Structures are given as structure tokens and as C-alpha cells.
Amino acid sequence: MKRIFLLLIIVVFSTTVFSAEKRDLLQKEAAEINLAASLIKDFSGLDFPNYKSRAFWNSLPEAVKSEYIKEAESYLDYDWPVVKATDYLEIIRSGDRRQQVYAAPRAALGALVMGELTEGESRFIDQIVNGVWYYCEQTWWGWSAHLTAQKAPHGLPDVNEPIIDLGVGEIANILSWTWLLFKDQFDEIHPLIAKRLKNEIMKKAVIPYYERNDFWWQGLDGSRDVNNWNPWTNHNMLTAILILEDDQEKKIAGVEKVVKSLDQFVNVYPNDGGCDEGPSYWGRAGASLYQNLDLLKRATNGKFDVFDNQLIKNMGNYIYKAYINYPYFINFADADATTGGRPQIIYSYGKDINDPVMQKFGAFLAEKQDWGTKPPGGKVDEQIMQLMHLAEIKNADAENALISNFWLPETQVAGARDKAGSAKGFFFAAKGGHNAESHNHNDLGTCVLYYNGKPCLVDIGRETYTAKTFSSRRYEIWTMQSQYHNLPKINGVDQMNGRNFVATNSNFSANSKKATFSTDISKAYPEDAAVDKWERTYTLDRGKKFTIADNYVLSEVKDEPTTLNFVTNCDVQKVDEDKLQLKGDGFVLEMSYNPKVVTPEIEYTKITDSGLKRYWDGINRIVFNVINAKEKGRNEIVVTEVK
């Protein structure tokens, strides 16, 4: 037993926030395999199904085919809209990003393409032509929120400076695939359709990618660290280059530039593989990196292969470490509380890195999402990839990924549950880090607590994005503030945003009976808080209780109160002098406290934002006021099940 106990121990240690390493592992792989000599000359050599692959399209499940055709039929009379000047200008007038203006025609074109591929009778070709002509006539394919990248004043796109943002990348990908799939049909209608389409993709996206190194998301000018924009947009550009570029030397140079840019993303990633943007953003971070690596492997006949690299493995398996129970994931920062994940990518990524937990988890997510009964989501290439794997994943072993605990020492995120393989009982996750993370909230030291796989103490998340979200006024938004996370307000002062506001001495340990995370969050607060030490500790006594403890030292006790704040979607009632009762979805918990040390107030907020309403109808904030605060003190809150 002693030996088993020792094996279960996770080494406890402190860590500072990771810094970028110039690994350049993708460029090294490209050099090792001689990318120039290995790269395919024709995209058709990648063996994706095309329009003429009738056996493939006819073999799809009838439910999928009929849904594709039905959806395409709904767009037979679609009136392709104009993106008006005022649609763009709204971003500087009210902050409204008008995302639906850009999303609607994209959805129409995607549905028509998939419907025609499925049916194969040319019934939707004319509307596909209308769709590609619509985009050819459009000034810019991006999203108004990103126009600040151009030299001209914000608000309207400058036709003389084509810039590449997420939206441009997405449309370039979709249009490249549409050109590839239907160029013969376009030529039968009129020789200018395919020619014009290719020219517009090259002019608006591919050539600017070749010529410029100063788009921040490329990471090539050293102006700032990159985030999920990098692999997301690079995958779209890699796709367009491989499909459209006829000059092999230019194609090689373009792919080499993608590889160099992707290395800037990999270089800033922590060795533990943690995604500080959260699991939902992993779908366009680690998952998009995988799409690049998979496409590079296919485009070099299997030679470009870095899936044996431990960092690449860690960047993949992060997704199940950050998983609570379907459909809930840990949602620190701007991440979503629920996400369907990316079943095919998770399955294939797990297969490529030889991680059976990840592979089975992908199959589990596919099962949860009723694969084979309805069309998959995503862009055209993503749907084709999922359809290619449909039978394999449906027949694969599926298993929920309920690991006992995890610790990402550089990202400073940890989590544990009562029992591996079961969603029953407690699950918690907590974080350290710094307050300049990507999509940052001022949330160092916060936690989430779930019971029987359902939320109890929560991270509210983020409201629908507006211009304010990514402006200097970001932290005026209530969901970004530390007082609306599970954190203290010290001497009436909240945490501050910025790279200098950090958690220190973050530690995690776990064994078969207990899991403990602790971090000192004193340096996350400005000087006005007058705090020298604030050690927040979360302890899970497996199968018994969850304890939140604070040990603190203040240099001064000020007139403004110190409070302990907890956010919950549960109904909260005071049931005794020292107990609150939390009624959640199928469970009842007690939150015990010392009434001589703290006294609670309960504040209810009705959720009205459409983004947050996906998860919460309303939020209760429990505000424990510290009574007669001293310069040194200890608080303890204990959560147990009501049996």
C-alpha cells in the first residue's frame, strides 16, 4: 500500500510563468525531410473526395444526405446580400460587430456546396456561382472589428490595402475548396467564373500573405506574442496555397512561410501544453495546429510528422485534462462553459500521438453528438474530413475521459475529481498564472466546483463580444473583474490587469485520498490593497468535502471591507447561523463558515446577455464580509453534500 501511495503522489513544486522557447521544431522537421523536394505538386494527390467521387457521396447515411439536400434547397432562392458601408461603420458607432452580416452568406455558400456534393445533379450550381460571384464583388472578406490592422482609418475596408484577418482566412479557405470542387462545372457555364474566383482569392489573401510579414498573428515581425489566430489563419492560408498556387517555387516558399509562422505559435506554448485561452478556444488553437500538421503530413506523403514530439502530444491531450463532464469544460478567461469539442480532430489527434484516452474521448464526443444522424459542422473541408472518418469513428471504442487529476505547472492550472472514471461527487479546477493571458480575466486564484458533473461554483464567462471587449475599457465589464470570480476583494480593491500582476508559489499535489492546489495571489492586487500575502488553498478530500482556505497578511486594514466572493448558478439559502444551502441541478450542498469571522450576503443577477444565457439564467454572488479584519488572518469555507 505504501508503494502504491507513493506512486500516486504527484510531485509538488512551484513554478514561475513560462517564457517563450525558440524551439522552431516545425522548421527543423521541414529541413530534415527536405520540404521542397517532398511537397506535392497537385492537391488532387491528397486523395480527398471530389465532386466526381459519387461512390463516396452516395455511401453517406441517408439521414445525412437528406439533411444536406434539404438545407441546400432552403437557399435556392437566397438573395445574396450587400455588406453595406453602415454595417462596417457600426463597429465605430456602437461597438456592434455585426457578425451575422458576414456569417449568413458564408452559411448559404457552405450549405449549397455540401448539398451539391451530396446530390450531384447540378441543381445548386447556379446558386453556388452566385455565391462565389458575390464574394468576388465584395471589397473585403473580413470582420469589421479587425479593420484596425489597416493603415487607413478604422471603420471601412481600404480596397488598396488587402489585409488578412480571421474572416479573410475563413472565406479564402471555403472559396478555394469551392474552386477545386466545381471549377470544371464553372467553366462549362462561363470561362470567367473560375478564373475570376481564383484571381480574387490570390489578390485578397494569398498574395498579401506572400508579401507581408507584419500581420501580428503571423508572429514574424516580433511585435507581440501570437494566439489562436496564428494556427487558425495559417491553416486557411496553407489550404489556399496548396490548392491554388501553380508555381511550385512559390508554393514551396508559401508553405515554408506557414511553417515558420506556425513555429511562432509553438514557440510561445508552455511545455505542459496548457491553452490559457481555454478549451473552447483550443478548438482554434491546438485543434487548428493539428489541422496544419495533418495537412502538411498529407502534402508531403507522410514525411512531415512531428506527432512523436512531447510538446505536440501535450498540446493535444490538454483538451481532456480540461474536461469536467459532458458538455462542461473548465472555462477560465473567455472560454465557454460548454462545448461540443471537435470529435474528429480529437479522435485523429489522439490516434496520431498514440494517446488512447484522447482517441476514445473523440469517439465518445461523436457518440454524444449523434454522429451519422445529421451533417457535421464546420467549413467545407472540415465537413469533408469528418465525413471521411464517419464510419471509423462510429465503430471505434468510445470512453468518457474522466481522469483523476491533472497539473499544468507552467500554465498553473490544476484539477481533480473524487474518483477517476466517474462524474459522481466533486470536481474542482483552479488557476494561478498572470493577468495578461490571452482573453484574460482578472482571475488569479479562482476555482470552479462541480458536483455530479453539474456546475456549483462557476466562472460566469464572457458576454457577447463588442468593440468594448477588446478595448482599454475591457475591465469595466463585470464578468472580467475579480470580484465576479471566486476570489477576495481586499481592502475594497480588486485584482489588476497586466503582466506584472501574477500568482506566485503555485503548487499542486494529489494522492488517492486528497488533492490540493495553493497559490499566493497577493501580487495580483495593486498597492492600494495593502496585501503582503494571500495564500488561497483548495483541498479536495476525495468523497468527503471541498475546502477553500485563505491565509493572509495585510500591511494595513483600511476602511473599505475585505470580502470573499463566490459565484454560483445554484439557488442559495441561509439555513443556519453558519451554513448556506446550495441547490443545484440534482444535488444539494452545504457551505459552512465561521460566523465569528465572516457574514454572508447574497446578490442575484438576472442574465440578459444572449451569450451568457446559453449557460446561466441567473447568477448568485455570495459575498462574505470579513468581520473585524486583522492584519493577519485565516478564513475557511467547507462545502459538503447534504445527504
Side-chain angles (χ1 to χ4, degrees):
M1 284 300 292
K2 184 176 181 180
R3 184 175 180 182
I4 294 172
F5 176 85
L6 291 172
L7 287 172
L8 287 168
I9 291 285
I10 291 180
V11 177
V12 182
F13 64 101
S14 302
T15 183
T16 56
V17 178
F18 66 88
S19 59
E21 286 184 44
K22 191 171 173 58
R23 304 180 181 100
D24 290 345
L25 68 92
L26 305 186
Q27 292 172 80
K28 291 173 183 174
E29 178 72 7
E32 186 174 327
I33 68 160
N34 190 353
L35 179 66
S38 304
L39 193 66
I40 53 101
K41 291 181 171 59
D42 192 327
F43 196 81
S44 62
L46 273 63
D47 293 328
F48 287 105
N50 58 36
Y51 185 46
K52 295 178 181 178
S53 304
R54 300 320 310 165
F56 174 83
W57 299 108
N58 292 337
S59 69
L60 296 180
E62 288 300 323
V64 173
K65 289 192 291 185
S66 63
E67 188 64 31
Y68 270 136
I69 294 168
K70 180 181 178 183
E71 182 72 8
E73 287 174 338
S74 71
Y75 289 104
L76 276 170
D77 297 318
Y78 184 68
D79 187 12
W80 296 90
V82 174
V83 180
K84 300 184 292 294
T86 50
D87 291 326
Y88 288 120
L89 288 168
E90 200 60 35
I91 192 70
I92 61 174
R93 289 176 170 174
S94 70
D96 188 344
R97 293 156 63 103
R98 292 282 178 95
Q99 292 292 119
Q100 186 54 33
V101 173
Y102 320 116
R106 173 184 148 172
L109 181 59
L112 290 161
V113 167
M114 295 310 298
E116 184 57 41
L117 288 172
T118 304
E119 188 178 75
E121 296 178 2
S122 300
R123 190 158 58 112
F124 305 108
I125 291 290
D126 275 359
Q127 268 292 54
I128 294 172
V129 170
N130 286 335
V132 301
W133 202 257
Y134 158 80
Y135 279 112
C136 288
E137 292 289 313
Q138 197 173 15
T139 301
W140 186 59
W141 300 332
W143 304 340
S144 62
H146 306 149
L147 280 168
T148 51
Q150 69 184 18
K151 295 180 180 67
H154 189 22
L156 288 172
D158 184 355
V159 71
N160 295 311
E161 188 191 1
I163 60 171
I164 306 171
D165 78 329
L166 298 178
V168 171
E170 290 283 277
I171 298 304
N173 179 314
I174 295 167
L175 293 179
S176 296
W177 269 90
T178 304
W179 178 89
L180 176 74
L181 292 163
F182 300 114
K183 63 179 186 288
D184 292 342
Q185 285 67 39
F186 294 163
D187 285 342
E188 289 176 5
I189 296 170
H190 197 286
L192 287 182
I193 299 169
K195 182 179 179 180
R196 170 80 187 278
L197 176 57
K198 181 175 181 178
N199 181 61
E200 292 294 334
I201 302 168
M202 297 297 289
K203 183 174 67 175
K204 288 185 170 80
V206 176
I207 292 173
Y209 187 86
Y210 288 167
E211 293 181 345
R212 294 185 61 169
N213 293 324
D214 60 339
F215 296 126
W216 71 266
W217 53 265
Q218 293 174 308
L220 299 176
D221 66 355
S223 62
R224 56 171 282 190
D225 284 347
V226 298
N227 63 6
N228 67 314
W229 276 51
N230 176 284
W232 184 355
T233 310
N234 272 312
H235 174 251
N236 289 326
M237 299 313 303
L238 176 62
T239 300
I241 291 166
L242 289 173
I243 290 175
L244 298 175
E245 184 56 75
D246 297 318
D247 186 316
Q248 187 66 7
E249 288 188 8
K250 288 183 179 179
K251 181 182 291 185
I252 291 166
V255 172
E256 287 176 340
K257 188 170 186 177
V258 168
V259 168
K260 184 177 181 180
S261 179
L262 287 170
D263 259 335
Q264 311 319 305
F265 177 72
V266 175
N267 285 348
V268 299
Y269 235 77
N271 288 310
D272 59 29
C275 178
D276 67 0
E277 299 172 285
S280 55
Y281 279 92
W282 179 91
R284 288 301 180 191
S288 286
L289 178 67
Y290 174 77
Q291 290 177 295
N292 282 282
L293 299 179
D294 177 67
L295 189 52
L296 287 166
K297 185 174 180 178
R298 291 171 186 269
T300 56
N301 293 309
K303 292 181 181 178
F304 192 102
D305 188 343
V306 293
F307 292 117
D308 60 347
N309 182 277
Q310 190 59 50
L311 173 61
I312 300 300
K313 293 181 178 182
N314 290 345
M315 291 172 78
N317 62 37
Y318 161 83
I319 193 60
Y320 67 76
K321 292 173 183 173
Y323 172 68
I324 302 169
N325 189 48
Y326 191 81
Y328 293 105
F329 286 77
I330 300 166
N331 67 312
F332 298 137
D334 275 356
D336 295 324
T338 64
T339 176
R342 305 286 296 274
Q344 178 267 314
I345 290 178
I346 293 171
Y347 174 88
S348 298
Y349 201 152
K351 185 177 181 180
D352 279 333
I353 64 174
N354 194 27
D355 185 332
V357 175
M358 187 174 182
Q359 189 174 345
K360 291 177 182 178
F361 184 47
F364 168 82
L365 292 174
E367 192 177 79
K368 279 290 187 181
Q369 294 168 39
D370 299 321
W371 264 42
T373 65
K374 55 188 177 183
K379 299 189 295 293
V380 171
D381 63 332
E382 292 169 332
Q383 294 193 55
I384 290 173
M385 186 70 79
Q386 291 172 87
L387 295 172
M388 289 169 63
H389 287 83
L390 192 61
E392 178 183 350
I393 294 177
K394 277 195 69 176
N395 294 321
D397 291 338
E399 188 174 327
N400 203 1
L402 302 171
I403 61 174
S404 178
N405 40 259
F406 72 91
W407 170 223
L408 305 176
E410 294 183 52
T411 312
Q412 296 186 11
V413 174
R417 67 181 73 247
D418 273 350
K419 184 179 179 182
S422 173
K424 295 293 185 183
F426 287 111
F427 171 93
F428 89 96
K431 72 181 299 290
H434 61 88
N435 274 338
E437 295 170 341
S438 188
H439 293 271
N440 181 69
H441 291 201
N442 290 339
D443 61 355
L444 303 190
T446 194
C447 76
V448 293
L449 179 67
Y450 280 61
Y451 196 79
N452 292 344
K454 300 295 178 66
C456 177
L457 299 181
V458 304
D459 190 304
I460 302 170
R462 49 90 181 172
E463 293 181 323
T464 303
Y465 284 155
T466 65
K468 185 177 180 179
T469 314
F470 298 103
S471 74
S472 59
R473 299 177 60 199
R474 177 180 178 88
Y475 296 96
E476 294 176 14
I477 301 171
W478 67 294
T479 62
M480 310 292 180
Q481 300 168 8
S482 59
Q483 64 179 315
Y484 289 100
H485 290 77
N486 298 309
L487 288 167
K489 194 177 182 79
I490 303 172
N491 278 324
V493 178
D494 268 338
Q495 289 188 11
M496 182 68 73
N497 56 291
R499 188 59 180 78
N500 294 328
F501 296 93
V502 299
T504 58
N505 299 320
S506 297
N507 299 279
F508 180 67
S509 65
N511 57 41
S512 60
K513 294 182 179 179
K514 183 178 292 189
T516 302
F517 174 84
S518 65
T519 188
D520 186 345
I521 58 175
S522 58
K523 288 184 171 57
Y525 294 79
E527 289 184 9
D528 289 352
V531 56
D532 294 330
K533 173 186 174 182
W534 195 291
E535 186 180 69
R536 168 61 63 92
T537 301
Y538 300 107
T539 303
L540 173 64
D541 287 289
R542 299 188 196 263
K544 296 179 180 178
K545 61 182 179 179
F546 179 68
T547 303
I548 304 154
D550 291 315
N551 283 288
Y552 63 86
V553 178
L554 306 178
S555 57
E556 181 183 353
V557 177
K558 297 190 175 184
D559 292 337
E560 293 294 324
T562 292
T563 60
L564 312 179
N565 303 286
F566 297 98
V567 181
T568 179
N569 67 319
C570 297
D571 176 67
V572 182
Q573 299 292 332
K574 187 173 182 179
V575 293
D576 208 336
E577 182 187 18
D578 61 349
K579 287 185 179 65
L580 299 177
Q581 189 175 85
L582 281 63
K583 290 185 178 179
D585 183 2
F587 65 82
V588 181
L589 301 177
E590 277 185 352
M591 180 178 272
S592 301
Y593 55 91
N594 186 342
K596 295 180 180 178
V597 177
V598 293
T599 181
E601 297 177 9
I602 302 164
E603 302 173 354
Y604 178 75
T605 300
K606 178 70 175 175
I607 299 299
T608 57
D609 177 78
S610 60
L612 291 181
K613 281 182 73 68
R614 292 176 294 166
Y615 323 118
W616 328 117
D617 291 323
I619 289 294
N620 280 305
R621 185 169 71 135
I622 304 166
V623 181
F624 285 103
N625 291 282
V626 177
I627 303 168
N628 299 321
K630 304 291 191 298
E631 290 185 354
K632 291 184 179 181
R634 174 179 170 82
N635 308 308
E636 187 171 281
I637 308 291
V638 180
V639 183
T640 54
E641 181 191 15
V642 176
K643 297 182 179 180

